[in-house]
Amino acid sequence: MQTSMLIVVLLILSSIAFYLGRRRAFAVARGRARNLHSLPSYYGYYVALWCGLPALLVAGLWFSAEDAIITRMLVDNLPPEVRSLEPGRVDLVLNDIHNLVNGNITSREPDAAMLAAADHYRQLRATSHAALSVVALALAIVAGTFSLTRIRPEHRARNAVERIVMALLIACSSIAILTTVGIVLSVLFESLRFFQTISLFEFLFSPQWSPQTALRADQVGSSGAFGAVPLFAGTLLISFIAMAVAVPIGLLSAIYLSEYAGRRLRASVKPLLEILAGVPTVVYGFFAALVVAPMIRDAGLSLGLDVASESALAAGLVMGIMIIPFVSSLSDDVINAVPQSLRDGAYGLGATRSETVRKVILPAALPGIVGGILLAASRAIGETMIVVMAAGMAANLTANPLEAVTTVTVQIVTLLTGDQEFDSPKTLAAFALGLVLFVVTLLLNIFALHIVRKYREQYE
Amino acid sequence: MSSVDMIEKAVQSERTSFRQAAKDMDSLTRRPEQRETVGEVRVEDPRVRCNDVNVYYGEKHAVMGVNLDIGRNEVIAMIGPSGCGKSTFLRCLNRMNDTIVGCRVTGQIFMDDQDINASGIDVVPLRAMVGMVFQKPNPFPKSIWENVAFGPRIHGLAHNKAELEEMVVTSLQRAGLWEEVKDRLEQPGTGLSGGQQQRLCIARTIAVGPEVILMDEPCSALDPIATAVIEDLIDELRGHYSIVIVTHSMQQAARVSQRTAYFHLGNLIEVGETTQIFTNPVHKLTEDYITGRFG
Ligand SMILES: Nc1ncnc2c1ncn2[C@@H]1O[C@H](COP(=O)(O)OP(=O)(O)O)[C@@H](O)[C@H]1O
Ligand SMILES: [Mg+2]
């Protein structure tokens, strides 16, 4: 039986089980739902869950283990001359057999032994699937029937169903949490490997970044220098330019929209600003690289300045534009949360609109606005695409926004693209950079959320 | 039944329901008529004189042709069932209705022979002259001192730090809050109790030197003890200001006011001496309200 077929059959069985469970509940209650502990449909769900869940669980486990077991059996049956090959070559043969089975292109012309092995594989898989179908269906029927017989009027089906639902929800959320933990741990461990070759001190404080290392012992190449200071400086410079653009524009437009604009204007402009947030960053990236950077260079030339064709200024400006909707929509929320009674109080004392904004609304909203700005900053620090395209790769340690700089994220990209040895310091450096980025944005986010939350409490 | 019959019948029933709907619309949009006010609306030498004041929220006619004088150094209470337009009328007196989108005010309101609704009148000095205290205490999230100094600062009333200090202190004293807060002027105004916050708002209003103070149910968010303190305060303030107070409590109106105005569905029904209104109302609606038959 096909896998999809099996799942469909299990679902159908579950629905039948639901129906039977409900009917049985009515039967044991002698037709009066009032005699039951729970609503009749809960008995239906109870039986349906018993019928479907264990079978699906077994099917899932079966599939995850199937391939490994079959491959092991296959290897045992391979001709001895293949089995005596070195492990890497055996893997290659197995890979070809897999490809043959799935109808993909193989690395070389298949010989008779391989064709036989592929047939064997197919057979084994068919057997395994048939066995699974039998086991799963049997389990579904047995578990369903068993739960059906347990239905009594006093049986607490509702509580049981609620417990199962809760378990399902917990399972799903733990998947999300465990994945995150897994990612963090893998980054952490790879970084630790990196710090076995390069000292943490050198990484954090040395001003020399040149990660090219010789791939082979006989190759001529630089030995590599892993001082990340130029990257941190570049990241800070670009984020600073971006914030210098985004904070004033975003904040002022939020003030205009929430305090000055009419209802109709606000209704049309707010969605427009939010569209800005929906533009893919790669589009901003080529806007920066193809429009803004040349413009800045030309402007610089006409002023007699020496501007690199890729500059921190271009990347920062465009990144700032990208972040405007962040700042403005967060500030707008915060400003709207300032109670109307405070505005009334100020107007009632004869304050003008701008006095009310400056002296009452902004001070009251300030913590929330700061929180929003910090969130935007963490977004700027982690942004990659625009800087890859517009800021260049040169690890210059400079405060001059007209020069090319590079950032942490750009270097992660360049370190990991292209042919790599996985355990060279060059590759591992990407993990170390990722770890730094992660820690910094995490701290920023925690801090910002803390501020925003405190601010909310003030008015509740 | 033939299909022609069916269509005929459908059209018929459509017509009846249309007529019904038109009738409903009519009764909905028919405005409650304007009524004559009973009692003496005029006083000698008024501080504020209102002539035929109407307020509309879009189509809704919320205040209808109100004529009323507010005397010097008197407390006048506005009573009436909720939604009758007391707050709306009160907001006309310092043009706070300007801040409400879709609100339109007609008629004349004279202060010192000047119509405050006339074009070219600046609301900033007007609101300094007519202060307002709101239902819910709304101190700014600043220190007590800053709350009181806010008004004098924006109106540029103090020429130096000492003058400002002087204004803050006298306002707090006049609002009866000085003794309670003199040791903690730097602490946030929002940290005070509800009654203290409301007195802080009164001090804040007094600090800009108003001549009229509008109070919209100033005690409805307070406990009885804090209410009694504020009522005593209102009685003292009468020596310096004209006070218009909206209240839901008839006892409060009786305790603090000299005149009382009774509103009903946007109309000013009856005005008179407070004692007369509460002991011997003329209009049937006023009598029904103060004897608790509705409201
Ligand atoms: N901002 C507003 N927009 C539209 N209608 C309003 C507004 N404020 C008040 N109203 C209406 O005007 C009438 C008078 O309201 P209000 O002056 O608040 O009454 P009161 O203070 O006597 O309880 C009510 O019917 C109310 O629904
Ligand atoms: Mg009101």
Side-chain angles (χ1 to χ4, degrees):
Chain A
M1 200 185 288
Q2 288 276 303
T3 329
S4 49
M5 190 64 193
L6 178 65
I7 291 173
V8 169
V9 170
L10 281 178
L11 288 180
I12 294 174
L13 273 182
S14 295
S15 352
I16 297 174
F18 173 80
Y19 175 74
L20 289 177
R22 206 174 50 173
R23 210 178 58 174
R24 173 143 175 87
F26 268 118
V28 297
R30 290 182 303 284
R32 307 188 54 168
R34 212 152 24 101
N35 295 337
L36 292 169
H37 167 270
S38 316
L39 287 175
S41 58
Y42 275 111
Y43 294 91
Y45 287 126
Y46 177 70
V47 178
L49 284 170
W50 263 111
C51 171
L53 270 190
L56 284 174
L57 214 63
V58 164
L61 288 177
W62 194 292
F63 280 124
S64 55
E66 183 185 63
D67 197 57
I69 294 172
I70 293 183
T71 309
R72 175 84 53 78
M73 291 165 80
L74 201 63
V75 171
D76 289 343
N77 273 333
L78 280 177
E81 68 269 20
V82 176
R83 261 193 296 164
S84 59
L85 287 172
E86 49 185 297
R89 303 295 301 274
V90 176
D91 282 347
L92 210 60
V93 173
L94 285 175
N95 208 6
D96 273 345
I97 294 173
H98 262 154
N99 287 340
L100 263 181
V101 170
N102 295 325
N104 291 337
I105 296 165
T106 52
S107 66
R108 62 203 168 105
E109 203 51 36
D111 56 25
M114 276 178 66
L115 285 175
D119 270 340
H120 187 58
Y121 187 100
R122 277 200 204 96
Q123 256 174 25
L124 285 176
R125 202 166 63 174
T127 323
S128 149
H129 279 190
L132 168 62
S133 302
V134 172
V135 170
L137 291 181
L139 188 60
I141 290 169
V142 168
T145 320
F146 172 70
S147 60
L148 202 57
T149 58
R150 286 191 48 192
I151 293 181
R152 307 261 179 286
E154 67 280 2
H155 179 233
R156 301 169 170 235
R158 170 162 34 84
N159 309 27
V161 169
E162 291 293 343
R163 263 201 304 278
I164 297 175
V165 168
M166 189 176 80
L168 276 178
L169 296 180
I170 289 177
C172 289
S173 43
S174 12
I175 288 178
I177 294 170
L178 289 180
T179 324
T180 316
V181 171
I183 292 174
V184 172
L185 284 183
S186 100
V187 169
L188 190 65
F189 285 129
E190 301 300 337
S191 308
L192 287 180
R193 279 176 67 194
F194 173 76
F195 290 127
Q196 280 163 6
T197 25
I198 312 289
S199 80
L200 178 65
F201 186 82
E202 182 191 343
F203 177 69
L204 288 183
F205 299 110
S206 155
Q208 183 71 31
W209 178 262
S210 135
Q212 298 311 327
T213 45
L215 275 179
R216 290 189 312 276
D218 57 344
Q219 203 175 22
V220 195
S222 52
S223 55
F226 293 95
V229 172
L231 315 191
F232 300 148
T235 308
L236 283 184
L237 178 62
I238 291 187
S239 306
F240 181 79
I241 296 172
M243 298 313 283
V245 173
V247 169
I249 298 182
L251 188 55
L252 293 181
S253 59
I255 291 173
Y256 173 72
L257 282 183
S258 55
E259 297 298 318
Y260 286 80
R263 206 179 318 151
R264 194 138 7 109
L265 184 71
R266 183 164 47 227
S268 52
V269 170
K270 256 198 106 171
L272 260 172
L273 259 181
E274 264 140 36
I275 288 177
L276 261 189
V279 176
T281 53
V282 65
V283 175
Y284 281 113
F286 64 67
F287 176 64
L290 302 182
V291 181
V292 178
M295 231 160 63
I296 290 176
R297 198 189 42 208
D298 292 347
L301 281 182
S302 66
L303 291 175
L305 287 174
D306 190 18
V307 183
S309 58
E310 292 170 318
S311 64
L313 189 59
L317 285 181
V318 175
M319 197 197 278
I321 293 172
M322 182 193 85
I323 298 176
I324 287 173
F326 252 97
V327 177
S328 75
S329 98
L330 284 169
S331 315
D332 189 58
D333 286 351
V334 172
I335 288 174
N336 278 328
V338 173
Q340 180 63 31
S341 65
L342 289 186
R343 294 184 180 87
D344 287 343
Y347 290 135
L349 284 169
T352 62
R353 212 167 347 192
S354 79
E355 283 166 344
T356 307
V357 167
R358 275 185 293 124
K359 304 204 164 158
V360 176
I361 295 175
L362 283 187
L366 193 64
I369 291 174
V370 169
I373 289 174
L374 288 183
L375 282 182
S378 89
R379 176 79 206 261
I381 291 174
E383 168 55 35
T384 313
M385 216 23 135
I386 295 176
V387 262
V388 168
M389 294 172 81
M393 308 280 175
N396 293 328
L397 183 53
T398 174
N400 179 359
L402 302 178
E403 273 185 57
V405 296
T406 192
T407 68
V408 174
T409 52
V410 169
Q411 286 307 311
I412 293 178
V413 171
T414 46
L415 289 174
L416 290 183
T417 44
D419 285 337
Q420 302 297 335
E421 253 185 298
F422 190 69
D423 49 2
S424 77
K426 185 185 166 197
T427 316
L428 292 176
F431 288 95
L433 289 177
L435 186 68
V436 172
L437 202 59
F438 172 75
V439 170
V440 169
T441 46
L442 182 73
L443 289 181
L444 264 182
N445 280 348
I446 291 177
F447 189 50
L449 288 177
H450 176 74
I451 291 180
V452 171
R453 186 150 340 123
K454 266 206 117 151
Y455 163 76
R456 293 249 166 80
E457 279 164 9
Q458 193 182 327
Y459 293 117
E460 271 163 11
Chain B
M1 208 194 282
S2 80
S3 55
V4 175
D5 282 347
M6 272 165 72
I7 290 170
E8 190 112 315
K9 194 149 182 231
V11 168
Q12 277 278 306
S13 78
E14 199 61 19
R15 267 198 200 129
T16 4
S17 62
F18 179 76
R19 255 186 234 124
Q20 187 57 44
K23 226 187 236 165
D24 289 349
M25 278 296 280
D26 205 41
S27 67
L28 270 180
T29 51
R30 204 175 51 222
R31 306 200 159 85
E33 70 282 25
Q34 189 173 327
R35 303 167 198 250
E36 278 297 308
T37 305
V38 176
E40 185 46 63
V41 298
R42 299 299 175 200
V43 297
E44 246 174 66
D45 186 27
R47 177 65 268 207
V48 183
R49 166 159 285 176
C50 303
N51 285 340
D52 192 29
V53 172
N54 289 279
V55 185
Y56 305 85
Y57 290 112
E59 282 295 294
K60 186 182 164 64
H61 197 173
V63 169
M64 294 175 217
V66 170
N67 295 298
L68 185 64
D69 281 2
I70 292 156
R72 292 175 197 271
N73 299 339
E74 76 167 355
V75 178
I76 178 167
M78 315 251 151
I79 58 170
S82 54
C84 66
K86 308 180 293 289
S87 300
T88 304
F89 175 71
L90 197 70
R91 284 197 301 265
C92 294
L93 302 178
N94 65 345
R95 288 192 40 189
M96 277 295 273
N97 282 328
D98 290 11
T99 63
I100 296 173
V101 180
C103 183
R104 193 162 57 85
V105 181
T106 67
Q108 292 126 13
I109 299 171
F110 288 103
M111 297 185 67
D112 300 326
D113 301 321
Q114 175 69 59
D115 180 7
I116 66 169
N117 285 332
S119 61
I121 290 288
D122 187 1
V123 295
V124 171
L126 170 68
R127 288 182 189 156
M129 194 147 75
V130 185
M132 188 159 198
V133 176
F134 298 84
Q135 183 166 354
K136 213 175 132 238
N138 58 350
F140 301 129
K142 300 172 187 284
S143 71
I144 295 171
W145 201 90
E146 287 292 333
N147 261 286
V148 184
F150 184 90
R153 281 216 174 109
I154 60 173
H155 292 288
L157 298 181
H159 298 294
N160 53 45
K161 179 97 183 153
E163 270 184 46
L164 190 59
E165 183 81 40
E166 164 80 27
M167 283 177 183
V168 170
V169 174
T170 38
S171 305
L172 282 169
Q173 281 168 341
R174 215 173 247 191
L177 194 59
W178 175 248
E179 288 304 318
E180 290 156 66
V181 301
K182 65 180 178 205
D183 299 326
R184 45 170 176 157
L185 293 175
E186 298 314 315
Q187 288 175 19
T190 42
L192 297 173
S193 75
Q196 289 173 326
Q197 287 189 16
Q198 196 62 301
R199 276 180 283 148
L200 178 61
C201 292
I202 293 175
R204 186 176 72 180
T205 307
I206 292 173
V208 290
E211 299 186 23
V212 181
I213 300 178
L214 312 175
M215 299 185 173
D216 193 347
E217 301 186 32
C219 301
S220 64
L222 305 183
D223 61 77
I225 294 174
T227 302
V229 174
I230 301 247
E231 285 176 4
D232 288 345
L233 175 61
I234 292 173
D235 210 47
E236 280 167 33
L237 292 176
R238 178 162 65 97
H240 306 272
Y241 312 99
S242 305
I243 296 175
V244 187
I245 178 172
V246 171
T247 174
H248 255 120
S249 151
M250 280 174 276
Q251 290 86 340
Q252 182 168 72
R255 279 193 297 264
V256 302
S257 71
Q258 286 77 55
R259 283 164 79 225
T260 295
Y262 173 69
F263 282 77
H264 186 90
L265 288 180
N267 281 295
L268 177 53
I269 299 294
E270 183 167 354
V271 186
E273 299 287 320
T274 297
T275 41
Q276 175 256 313
I277 293 282
F278 283 102
T279 53
N280 192 14
V282 177
H283 200 288
K284 177 83 171 61
L285 284 171
T286 318
E287 188 186 342
D288 285 351
Y289 182 72
I290 63 169
T291 53
R293 237 160 275 168
F294 64 83

